[in-house]
Amino acid sequence: VQLQASGGGLVQAGGSLRLSCAGSGRTFGSFVMGWFRQFPSLEREFVSAITWSGDITHYTDSVKGRFTISRDNAKNTVFLQMNSLRPEDTAVYYCAAGRGSVYDTRMYAYWGQGTQVTVSS
């Protein structure tokens, strides 16, 4: 599966952005989809994941209550709605696909290119 992330940009603190990740291939709907981010320090962090059916979602603590992951399998797309953005959310955001537990952050086999999110204070 090939993945293409989009939707990043520059936003003020407190603002919102919606990231999209479009996937190719007829098996998109069978994958767990995740979002990760890489900070300017180059540290990569898990952000969120969603099961193939969308019935289970998982978030890192720092984004709970602010970010929402969702997917539309008919359109081969997964979304990350980001609200109440903070300067510390500034990072390159990547989407990824894998088969396994939504709680396993190491099982992703397919990665999209990143999209830059910059939050100004």
Side-chain angles (χ1 to χ4, degrees):
V1 62
Q2 293 184 321
L3 304 172
Q4 178 83 24
S6 62
L10 173 65
V11 64
Q12 289 188 331
S16 298
L17 282 174
R18 189 192 196 201
L19 304 184
S20 298
C21 176
S24 64
R26 298 171 60 184
T27 60
F28 177 87
S30 67
F31 286 95
V32 170
M33 296 298 298
W35 286 96
F36 290 76
R37 59 189 179 184
Q38 187 167 29
F39 297 110
S41 63
L42 300 184
E43 176 189 357
R44 181 171 287 192
E45 178 185 69
F46 165 80
V47 177
S48 183
I50 187 168
T51 53
W52 68 269
S53 64
D55 61 338
I56 299 174
T57 57
H58 178 46
Y59 300 90
T60 191
D61 286 347
S62 62
V63 308
K64 285 180 180 177
R66 301 188 298 123
F67 291 10
T68 302
I69 190 171
S70 61
R71 67 190 297 165
D72 184 341
N73 288 336
K75 297 182 178 179
N76 282 7
T77 305
V78 63
F79 304 98
L80 186 68
Q81 177 67 43
M82 305 187 296
N83 298 329
S84 302
L85 282 162
R86 305 167 180 169
E88 54 264 39
D89 294 317
T90 294
V92 178
Y93 284 71
Y94 297 86
C95 59
R99 288 193 170 101
S101 169
V102 71
Y103 302 105
D104 183 355
T105 62
R106 299 168 296 176
M107 57 82 176
Y108 293 89
Y110 305 95
W111 293 81
Q113 92 297 347
T115 185
Q116 176 71 47
V117 171
T118 303
V119 184
S120 63
S121 57

